[in-house]
Amino acid sequence: MRALRILLIVVVVLGGLFVAVDRLALHFAENEAADRVEFTGATAASTDVSIHGFPFLTQVASRNLDQVDVTLKGIQAGSDGNTIRINELRAELDRVVIGEGYSSARAGLVKGTALVSYADLTAAAEDGITVQYADDGKVKVTGSVDVPGLGSVSRSVVSSVTLADGRTVRVRADAVPGEDIPGLEGLVRARTDFERNLGGLPDGVVLKKIEALPEGLEVSVEATDIALAG
């Protein structure tokens, strides 16, 4: 009985050491992965990576990770005014395969949600235009236009936000107040209607759904077989 107790103690101690080593390796790998996740032509203010599954070391040995969650904040791509900054992107990566030498990785399936703040949407609009949440999944776009014979006229329009061609966010007024004034609708729409790409997403990522919420635009994204690093 004494020998059996000693054996059980040894097993428990070794098991505890294995778990500790496994968790340390996981923590190190998550930090390394956060530094290496990269999107072509874009930068992120911060990146957080969480690797799921236990034990982690056996996944590393097979170079296959069951699930990896990635959160990126402040994704910025270019400065030409044709892209919208992404405030936050949360993505679930399945079937992640690590390349030779552990310097590259690809995900078989990616599903996530991008959040665009109204401040960033305003920054992507025409100069002097502001975008706010209206109600019922709509946004309010406000700005001034110069109307011949009337001077500067301020207008606020309720607009719908939709997706175009899988990569573009489209903002378009449902109606323009004062449409009885000749030429006003065209002038207002030239200022308040706009299309911009959602900048900073990897090649292959497609926008699936968009919804205007009080905290910003929520965009569902999806992709298959994309490079994460390397």
Side-chain angles (χ1 to χ4, degrees), residues 18-34 48-60 65-69 98:
F18 174 78
V19 171
V21 171
D22 189 83
R23 295 301 90 184
L24 284 173
L26 173 63
H27 180 68
F28 175 79
E30 289 175 338
N31 289 336
E32 284 292 306
D48 182 72
V49 175
S50 296
I51 302 172
H52 297 268
F54 179 83
F56 167 68
L57 291 174
T58 58
Q59 296 184 70
V60 172
L65 305 179
D66 296 333
Q67 179 185 329
V68 179
D69 292 342
I98 303 171

Side-chain angles (χ1 to χ4, degrees), residues 17-18 26 57 77 84 86 90 108 115 127 130 141 169 177-178 190 197 226:
L17 288 174
F18 174 78
L26 173 63
L57 291 174
I84 304 174
I86 299 173
R90 293 181 178 272
L115 182 66
D127 289 342
T130 60
V141 185
V169 176
N197 291 329
I226 68 166

